[in-house]
Amino acid sequence: MCGIIGYVGTDRGDDALEVLLDGLSQLEYRGYDSAGVALADGGIDVHKREGELAALEAALPRERFDGDSIGIGHTRWSTHGPPSDANAHPHTDATERVAVVHNGIIENYQSLRDDLAAAGITFQSDTDTEVVPHLIGRSLDEGLDHEAAFRAAIDRLEGSYAIAAVFDGTETVYAARHESPLVLGVADDGHFLASDVPAFIEYTDQVIYLADGEFARLTPDDLVITDANGQVTDPSVETIAWDPEDAGKSGYDHYMRKEINEQPTALRECFRGRLDELTGRVELPELGDLEPRRPVTFVACGTSYHAAMFGTRLLQDRGVPAQAFLASEFDADRVPIDAESLVVGVTQSGETADTMRAIREANSVGATTVAVTNVVGSSAARETDDVLYIRAGPEISVAATKTFASQQAALTMLAAALSDQRSRALVRELRAVPDQIQSVLDASRAREIAETYHGAEAYFFIGRGYHYPVALEGALKMKEITYTHAEGFAAGELKHGPLALVSEETPVFAVVTGDGKLAEKTIGNVKEVEARGTPVVAVTDGQSDVERYADHVLEVPATSAVASSIVANVQLQLVAYWTAHELGRSIDKPRNLAKSVTVE
């Protein structure tokens, strides 16, 4: 959600405009509806356009910026005011002495805007962000220097923000963050800042993660970080373990397809060093000495919430009390948690605003907190007591795929560790999952299914037990990238209302594996829709006779219910992908959605 890029280079550094445009192109996956840049060599020069980055590039007088070495850029996802040239970032003060870009929500912007308007300021946009440059401008009028004026403005803000600013007449970028991600890049020929590492990974793999309440001052030769009181801090510089090729498409038409196909590799990395087949133990030393069989509360959003539901079932089946909450609905005053509680935040980016709020509430009552995340150095990783990395590597497509599978895998290991379970069978099953997924990728008939049903009115997904969260995730993927109505249900709930919606134009995808009681009951639900003329697609390992009642079959290898849920999910991801492909949708950047949702 929104993207920031900033750069200040030395005489031997790259042209700022090219760095900014490269960075913005790498941040397109986050979701946006306008883009802009501000160059600050010899005056503030702002260019911004509604629409995709190509519209901005077409409007830029590039020859004017040859040799410029400092600037900031932004891709905006609308919150205050519709997409427009005027509402696009960067924003300036009345006399264009400062330009600002911002991610997040300034909650007290209306009162600030009213005060500034009363003082004679005329606003050019509907955004909350525009108050920031005007606040800075007022402080400059009062005689404060650039840094003091920037700090004074930040001190008046309430809400979440990652903010970067450039000033006329200085080769310096100023930045600050509160509850919105900002990462700094360190290179020999300049310094970078961005909302995410891919924006500058082509130029450096040396990064510093700015913490809440910290300020940064970037010049060509220096990078200084200070706390809220102005005291210089000594941050650690981390090396990113992946290269620019990892964040590219590698010849695929879409990032989503590439990332679906990367799941065997991602899962092997998730399992690396954590599974001991000889003893049947799961080893997670990064979690320290968490007390086994302690009640667990999960908080998460979207795809991560479906993974949390999966984790809840895993723990409950092992005798550990567990519950999952949508992070946006979590309230520590209502949910009975205290210093004896274990709260697990599941978040791919480690920056999801609702999940971070829930984690902070849990921290405030003294609960032990654990983050299950993909991003080293993220807010979730820094603000929890322990962190379990899923190790999926960079995921660029807005629709999560390999990170969901890696979350399922990581939570399976977490459940084994928290239940103090030893099982050679489980370890063997998990080790086999990457190869099983590869077999699905090699032989899937999902494209044929998509070609048959891409004109459907709606899609329904059903499953029981471990397959219920998978059904929910299958529906979410379908609606995210095809823009077609799709719903997931616990299979037994069909008869309690949703059956009124099924018809010959509403295919039902049923996840049925094994031959036990849950499979038998789900087959009964399949018969209910089959009897009403509804097309049925069975995702199955062939151990039951569900094929008799299905119009089409998507095969998965036979394994346990836990492992088969990870594998079956891949078939549903492929169905969604190929359906969106048939419909000509924007697969990697679906409308109205963002990759990392950093507002509540």
Side-chain angles (χ1 to χ4, degrees):
M1 161 174 302
C2 296
I4 287 175
I5 177 68
Y7 172 68
V8 53
T10 65
D11 291 341
R12 60 184 182 277
D14 295 277
D15 283 355
L17 180 60
E18 295 309 314
V19 173
L20 298 181
L21 292 177
D22 286 348
L24 293 180
S25 70
Q26 296 302 320
L27 294 173
E28 286 188 289
Y29 73 94
R30 294 171 68 90
Y32 73 107
D33 46 46
S34 60
V37 296
L39 282 301
D41 276 3
I44 301 290
D45 204 339
V46 173
H47 293 268
K48 51 189 184 176
R49 287 291 184 275
E50 176 189 354
E52 295 192 353
L53 184 59
L56 171 65
E57 292 179 311
L60 283 168
R62 288 174 179 262
E63 65 282 355
R64 281 173 43 189
F65 304 118
D66 287 346
D68 282 10
S69 61
I70 178 172
I72 52 178
H74 191 266
T75 51
R76 176 179 185 252
W77 189 81
S78 297
T79 56
H80 294 72
S84 69
D85 290 355
N87 287 335
H89 297 207
H91 293 289
T92 67
D93 70 320
T95 56
E96 298 187 349
R97 292 167 293 178
V98 59
V100 167
V101 293
H102 160 236
N103 289 355
I105 297 287
I106 298 172
E107 295 176 355
N108 64 331
Y109 92 98
Q110 191 61 61
S111 63
L112 294 172
R113 186 179 178 115
D114 291 344
D115 291 346
L116 289 164
I121 298 296
T122 300
F123 285 82
Q124 306 300 318
S125 77
D126 304 312
T127 68
D128 56 337
T129 302
E130 195 184 349
V131 301
V132 180
H134 290 305
L135 288 172
I136 294 172
R138 295 275 290 177
S139 293
L140 293 174
D141 292 339
E142 294 168 359
L144 296 184
D145 63 25
H146 293 152
E147 183 166 353
F150 180 73
R151 283 181 173 273
I154 298 300
D155 285 345
R156 296 191 63 184
L157 304 182
E158 298 174 6
S160 63
Y161 51 78
I163 292 176
V166 291
F167 291 83
D168 183 13
T170 179
E171 288 188 325
T172 307
V173 178
Y174 296 94
R177 70 153 282 176
H178 177 67
E179 297 182 1
S180 192
L182 205 56
V183 60
L184 311 177
V186 182
D188 293 335
D189 52 5
H191 294 99
F192 304 79
L193 65 82
S195 45
D196 206 354
V197 170
F200 56 68
I201 189 64
E202 178 182 345
Y203 301 95
T204 181
D205 61 358
Q206 302 298 295
V207 305
I208 297 170
Y209 292 95
L210 206 63
D212 273 358
E214 288 186 331
F215 291 75
R217 183 176 71 246
L218 288 70
T219 65
D221 302 308
D222 199 12
L223 192 162
V224 178
I225 297 175
T226 54
D227 62 19
N229 298 317
Q231 298 299 308
V232 175
T233 66
D234 184 21
S236 61
V237 179
E238 300 185 27
T239 300
I240 297 300
W242 41 273
D243 60 37
E245 287 299 314
D246 293 328
K249 290 183 182 176
S250 302
Y252 289 94
D253 290 337
H254 301 95
Y255 285 111
M256 183 179 178
R257 181 75 193 285
K258 170 179 177 276
E259 289 155 8
I260 290 172
N261 283 10
E262 286 176 339
Q263 288 176 112
T265 300
L267 288 172
R268 290 187 184 100
E269 185 63 20
C270 184
F271 293 140
R272 178 177 53 82
R274 293 168 166 171
L275 299 177
D276 188 334
E277 197 163 344
L278 183 63
T279 64
R281 291 188 64 87
V282 171
E283 303 288 350
L284 301 175
E286 59 265 58
L287 297 186
D289 298 321
L290 290 180
E291 183 182 345
R293 304 196 173 278
R294 189 177 183 179
V296 177
T297 297
F298 290 99
V299 290
C301 304
T303 287
S304 295
Y305 176 67
H306 298 154
M309 292 176 65
F310 181 76
T312 298
R313 178 83 183 212
L314 286 162
L315 286 166
Q316 290 173 344
D317 282 356
R318 287 159 177 77
V320 179
Q323 57 186 340
F325 283 89
L326 286 166
S328 58
E329 293 292 318
F330 179 82
D331 183 347
D333 292 332
R334 181 177 60 85
V335 179
I337 62 169
D338 54 27
E340 301 303 314
S341 303
L342 175 60
V343 177
V344 179
V346 187
T347 162
Q348 182 277 137
S349 67
E351 304 291 349
T352 309
D354 291 315
T355 305
M356 288 309 305
R357 180 195 55 78
I359 287 171
R360 289 168 183 140
E361 285 194 27
N363 284 335
S364 71
V365 299
T368 300
T369 53
V370 173
V372 177
T373 187
N374 194 38
V375 181
V376 176
S378 61
S379 294
R382 292 196 307 271
E383 296 187 33
T384 50
D385 297 301
D386 297 292
V387 57
L388 178 61
Y389 289 112
I390 66 172
R391 302 175 181 170
E395 185 176 69
I396 306 302
S397 178
V398 167
T401 52
K402 65 176 179 176
T403 53
F404 179 65
S406 295
Q407 286 171 340
Q408 288 179 291
L411 291 176
T412 302
M413 292 188 291
L414 178 65
L418 292 180
S419 61
D420 200 24
Q421 179 192 61
R422 297 189 185 196
S423 171
R424 292 182 182 177
L426 175 66
V427 170
R428 285 195 299 271
E429 288 162 3
L430 291 178
R431 285 195 182 280
V433 165
D435 288 339
Q436 291 170 342
I437 288 178
Q438 189 61 57
S439 71
V440 167
L441 294 172
D442 292 341
S444 176
R445 297 180 57 240
R447 189 168 191 173
E448 298 173 35
I449 305 299
E451 290 171 350
T452 302
Y453 294 118
H454 68 272
E457 292 179 352
Y459 302 90
F460 296 101
F461 297 77
I462 61 173
R464 288 177 182 261
Y466 293 110
H467 299 336
Y468 172 38
V470 172
L472 294 177
E473 178 62 14
L476 180 61
K477 285 292 143 305
M478 184 67 82
K479 69 180 73 173
E480 280 180 325
I481 63 171
T482 71
Y483 315 153
T484 306
H485 180 71
E487 291 296 334
F489 301 101
E493 288 300 296
L494 271 179
K495 57 186 175 292
H496 296 294
L499 269 179
L501 298 174
V502 302
S503 72
E504 295 179 357
E505 302 300 323
T506 57
V508 173
F509 290 80
V511 184
V512 186
T513 66
D515 59 357
K517 187 176 294 185
L518 291 183
E520 182 181 322
K521 290 183 177 181
T522 307
I523 290 171
N525 304 129
V526 167
K527 291 178 181 178
E528 290 174 339
V529 297
E530 187 257 352
R532 289 159 174 81
T534 301
V536 175
V537 179
V539 182
T540 183
D541 55 8
Q543 294 191 66
S544 66
D545 63 349
V546 68
E547 296 97 328
R548 294 178 54 188
Y549 310 101
D551 298 274
H552 303 274
V553 172
L554 292 170
E555 296 180 354
V556 296
T559 181
S560 68
V562 172
S564 67
S565 295
I566 304 174
V567 180
N569 171 63
V570 178
Q571 288 283 23
L572 299 183
Q573 291 173 349
L574 289 168
V575 169
Y577 173 82
W578 287 116
T579 302
H581 187 276
E582 288 292 320
L583 294 170
R585 304 303 193 215
S586 177
I587 291 175
D588 287 330
K589 295 178 286 183
R591 68 188 183 198
N592 303 328
L593 300 180
K595 181 65 176 174
S596 178
V597 184
T598 54
V599 296
E600 292 185 50

